[in-house]
């Protein structure tokens, strides 16, 4: 009897060990697929890319057509509150050697790049720049730059430059506030068009900018120091949680929703198993396939587009 118990314990131990190894392999595979799919239009990935200041400088130089622009300092994910507690977290806030202010925002959603949001960004930057007792003349010129996935303003322009003007004369008001919208969906054969292509390119070898290509390659190929590796792992965890949360918000079926909620606590594989147990087999399998393929946009769309969902079910043979 003791021998049987010992044998069963050993078998159980081997099964657990094999399960852990399998899970680690699946996690590693998922990690590779997510990393391979990332582009500069992924705001979380962009934050890590911009930690190399030369990348930020290159982007600003290209968008503003200022090849001599050099940054003095930059802060990523800078939180700016107002007096009433309504805060903004800026993707990238930086200052050049002349004291000019720049705020870079990557926006895949049109709702995140509305004109009034741009106005609010500029206002908060001013509020946090001028110190008590300083004259208004001390306000530096400021640039709010939205890098958008689509043509948010709808006039077909590659780059929108918004300035206040005196209506009757058409002269500039010259308050030092500048707002730019860089429309990456338009890719003309010029410097801006090349940058727009680079923003949407997942393969670092296809990125035309040397500084961006080198940075993206180092992040994707794991040529990082310990601190860099830690930041990439944090990024991937945020990316997975963000994808799960967005999927839930879009109203996935109850069984899949519970499966995805479990992803946050127990990992991707356990979460999907829970979803399958709730009877949503085909949809759960589809979600799993899309997550493994890193197809986050498709994952969002299947939650509300029934016709597209059926198309993907056929694509994956489900």
């Amino acid at each position: 009897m003791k021998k049987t118990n010992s044998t069963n314990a050993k078998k159980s131990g081997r099964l657990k060990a094999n399960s852990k190894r399998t899970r680690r392999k699946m996690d590693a595979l998922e990690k590779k697929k997510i990393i391979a799919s990332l582009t500069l239009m992924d705001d979380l990935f962009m934050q890590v890319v911009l930690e190399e200041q030369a990348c930020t400088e290159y982007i600003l130089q290209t968008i503003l057509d200022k090849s001599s622009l050099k940054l003095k300092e930059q802060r990523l994910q800078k939180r700016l509150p107002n007096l009433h507690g309504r805060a903004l977290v800026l993707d990238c806030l930086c200052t050049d050697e002349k004291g000019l202010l720049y705020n870079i925002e990557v926006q895949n959603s049109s709702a995140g790049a509305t004109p009034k949001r741009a106005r609010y960004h500029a206002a908060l930057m001013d509020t946090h720049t001028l110190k008590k007792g300083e004259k208004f003349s001390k306000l530096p010129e400021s640039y709010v730059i939205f890098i958008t996935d689509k043509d948010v303003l709808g006039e077909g322009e590659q780059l929108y430059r918004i300035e206040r003007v005196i209506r009757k004369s058409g002269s500039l008001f010259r308050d030092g506030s500048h707002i730019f919208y860089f429309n990456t969906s338009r890719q003309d054969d010029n410097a801006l068009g090349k940058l727009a292509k680079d923003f949407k390119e997942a393969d670092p070898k296809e990125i035309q900018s040397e500084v961006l290509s080198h940075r993206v390659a180092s992040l994707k190929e794991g040529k990082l120091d310990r601190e860099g590796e830690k930041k990439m792992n944090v990024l991937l965890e945020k990316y997975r949680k963000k994808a799960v949360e967005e999927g839930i918000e879009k109203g996935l079926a109850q069984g899949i929703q519970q499966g995805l909620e479990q992803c946050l606590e127990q990992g991707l594989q356990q979460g999907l198993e829970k979803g399958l147990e709730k009877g949503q087999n085909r949809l759960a399998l589809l979600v799993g396939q899309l997550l493994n393929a890193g197809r986050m946009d498709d994952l969002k769309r299947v939650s509300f587009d029934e016709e597209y969902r059926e198309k993907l079910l056929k694509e994956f043979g489900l």
Side-chain angles (χ1 to χ4, degrees), residues 34-302:
I34 290 176
I35 289 174
S37 70
L38 294 175
T39 71
L40 295 173
M41 286 307 298
D42 292 286
D43 56 350
L44 294 175
F45 185 54
M46 182 65 157
Q47 291 167 26
V48 180
V49 171
L50 292 186
E51 287 183 355
E52 186 169 305
Q53 191 164 293
C55 294
T56 312
E57 283 183 347
Y58 172 75
I59 291 168
L60 288 173
Q61 288 168 356
T62 305
I63 293 176
L64 301 177
D65 194 21
K66 292 183 177 182
S67 59
S68 62
L69 187 151
K70 294 294 180 184
L71 292 180
K72 182 179 179 181
E73 65 173 336
Q74 68 173 20
R75 287 164 287 177
L76 304 175
Q77 290 294 282
K78 174 65 177 176
R79 186 177 185 274
L80 297 182
N82 70 9
L83 294 174
H84 304 286
R86 177 67 166 92
L88 272 180
V89 178
L90 306 186
D91 286 351
C92 181
L93 179 64
C94 40
T95 310
D96 69 10
E97 293 177 338
K98 297 178 180 178
L100 278 64
L101 279 177
Y102 305 89
N103 169 214
I104 301 174
E105 297 290 322
V106 175
Q107 293 291 342
N108 284 298
S109 167
S110 298
T114 62
K116 286 191 176 179
R117 184 178 180 116
R119 169 185 164 185
Y120 193 65
H121 276 243
L124 271 186
M125 287 168 65
D126 286 345
T127 301
H128 285 265
T129 300
L130 203 63
K131 297 178 182 178
K132 183 177 179 179
E134 284 189 323
K135 295 180 179 180
F136 292 113
S137 60
K138 292 291 184 180
L139 271 177
E141 284 194 57
S142 66
Y143 294 79
V144 175
I145 301 167
F146 282 111
I147 299 172
T148 62
D149 182 49
K150 296 181 174 60
D151 184 7
V152 173
L153 300 183
E155 295 187 13
E157 295 295 324
Q158 184 180 39
L159 182 68
Y160 296 89
R161 178 169 180 164
I162 296 94
E163 307 276 358
R164 288 188 176 93
V165 298
I166 301 170
R167 277 194 170 184
K168 188 171 184 179
S169 65
S171 302
L172 290 176
F173 186 54
R174 300 191 185 282
D175 59 349
S177 177
H178 314 280
I179 296 172
F180 284 75
Y181 279 71
F182 177 35
N183 168 25
T184 60
S185 68
R186 178 170 166 177
Q187 299 177 0
D188 296 352
D189 186 18
N190 56 20
L192 283 173
K194 291 176 182 178
L195 181 60
K197 289 179 182 178
D198 285 350
F199 265 96
K200 298 191 174 185
E201 181 55 63
D203 185 353
K205 294 178 182 177
E206 297 298 322
I207 293 177
Q208 299 174 74
S209 161
E210 185 176 344
V211 66
L212 294 179
S213 175
H214 182 270
R215 176 62 173 164
V216 172
S218 67
L219 292 171
K220 291 198 171 191
E221 295 167 11
K223 298 175 182 177
L224 304 167
D225 56 20
R226 183 175 296 180
E227 184 63 25
E229 182 67 24
K230 180 181 177 181
K231 287 177 180 177
M232 276 300 287
N233 286 333
V234 170
L235 162 70
L236 288 170
E237 185 60 28
K238 286 183 178 179
Y239 193 89
R240 283 194 286 191
K241 285 184 178 181
K242 180 182 178 183
V244 170
E245 289 165 359
E246 288 178 353
I248 293 171
E249 288 171 4
K250 288 293 184 180
L252 289 173
Q254 182 64 31
I256 302 304
Q257 180 174 327
Q258 292 181 5
L260 290 174
E261 287 169 351
Q262 287 295 316
C263 290
L264 299 175
E265 300 174 1
Q266 300 177 19
L268 176 65
Q269 184 60 28
Q270 291 178 353
L272 290 175
E273 287 172 0
K274 288 289 183 182
L276 288 170
E277 289 171 5
K278 294 299 180 180
Q280 303 294 330
N281 292 334
R282 291 178 72 219
L283 188 53
L285 288 170
L286 176 60
V287 170
Q289 294 275 19
L290 293 173
L291 280 170
N292 285 335
R295 293 169 61 173
M296 299 305 170
D297 288 337
D298 287 338
L299 176 61
K300 299 172 192 174
R301 186 170 172 183
V302 297

Side-chain angles (χ1 to χ4, degrees), residues 5-43:
N5 289 339
S6 176
T7 301
N8 288 337
K10 288 180 180 179
K11 285 183 179 179
S12 176
R14 284 196 297 271
L15 286 172
K16 287 181 179 179
N18 287 335
S19 177
K20 286 181 180 179
R21 282 195 293 270
T22 300
R23 193 167 297 150
R24 282 197 298 268
K25 287 180 181 179
M26 290 185 68
D27 286 344
L29 180 61
E30 181 202 0
K31 179 178 176 180
K32 286 182 180 179
K33 288 183 176 180
I34 290 176
I35 289 174
S37 70
L38 294 175
T39 71
L40 295 173
M41 286 307 298
D42 292 286
D43 56 350

